[in-house]
Amino acid sequence: MLLKGFSMRIDVFTLFPNLVDAFCSESLLGRARNENIVDLRCHDLREHTTDVHHSVDDAPFGGGAGMVMLPEIWGNALDPLMTPETDLIILTPAGKRFDQPMATSFSQSKHLVFACGRYEGIDDRVRQYYESKNFRVHEVSIGDYVLGGGEVASLVMIEAITRLIPGVLGNPESLA
């Protein structure tokens, strides 16, 4: 999974891959990508749909307000990339609060996959399925507020995590 020379692979699944890719192509992240320290790839979730309209959401299983992202689409997208080295991060306002110790822990990972939900979030069967297969699944929040989707939260986390990888910062003393 990890290509030779890279310290970490990051895959971001989103409905807005160009937004995430543009941010990750600049500054420290852009340099880390260019210097083959971080292999960061953005994926369009709609490429994993099976219907003519590229639908990604439906009414929640069991009822309720709003729409949730379909579990089958997440399975189509994630299954080919999941390995024993993968940490699947599902961005959700109900998740564990992201902090510096969590950033430090994730910076030791070989492969991070960010699942950026929209609407009312990702159907919980996605989390349940990957946990049942013994994958490391983390539901994470960046604060006590609700965003329109997980993209901004993933960018916050990616920046905090990657700066801890050796070689990303020009001067390692900047970590202090």
Side-chain angles (χ1 to χ4, degrees):
M1 172 61 61
L2 189 64
L3 298 176
K4 186 174 178 167
F6 289 95
S7 295
M8 177 186 288
R9 174 158 172 185
I10 300 173
D11 289 282
V12 181
F13 286 88
T14 171
L15 296 179
F16 303 102
N18 293 337
L19 170 86
V20 174
D21 193 51
F23 181 86
C24 293
S25 295
E26 300 294 329
S27 190
L28 290 174
L29 282 170
R31 197 182 94 229
R33 289 172 91 179
N34 290 337
E35 294 179 4
N36 296 335
I37 299 168
V38 175
D39 179 10
L40 194 148
R41 302 175 190 193
C42 300
H43 306 272
D44 187 345
L45 194 59
R46 290 193 192 279
E47 291 179 3
H48 301 278
T49 61
T50 56
D51 69 320
V52 69
H53 301 291
H54 301 289
S55 302
V56 295
D57 63 330
D58 199 358
F61 182 75
M67 304 291 270
V68 295
M69 298 186 82
L70 294 164
E72 298 83 6
I73 294 164
W74 285 102
N76 293 343
L78 299 176
D79 279 353
L81 291 178
M82 299 297 286
T83 73
E85 293 185 325
T86 302
D87 283 283
L88 173 60
I89 300 169
I90 300 174
L91 288 306
T92 171
K96 185 175 178 191
R97 175 78 63 91
F98 182 70
D99 57 16
Q100 193 63 30
M102 190 184 295
T104 301
S105 177
F106 283 140
S107 75
Q108 304 302 310
S109 181
K110 292 290 182 199
H111 185 215
L112 299 176
V113 173
F114 287 86
C116 300
R118 284 265 151 187
Y119 316 113
E120 295 295 317
I122 299 170
D123 189 305
D124 192 50
R125 290 176 288 178
V126 173
R127 176 194 58 79
Q128 293 170 10
Y129 172 78
Y130 288 105
E131 284 181 346
S132 76
K133 300 292 184 187
N134 294 317
F135 286 107
R136 293 184 303 273
V137 180
H138 313 272
E139 290 186 301
V140 182
S141 170
I142 63 165
D144 291 334
Y145 44 86
V146 178
L147 300 170
E151 292 80 14
V152 171
S154 72
L155 294 173
V156 167
M157 292 181 63
I158 290 167
E159 185 159 305
I161 293 164
T162 56
R163 69 185 303 276
L164 300 172
I165 297 171
V168 171
L169 293 180
N171 182 350
E173 292 177 14
S174 299
L175 287 173

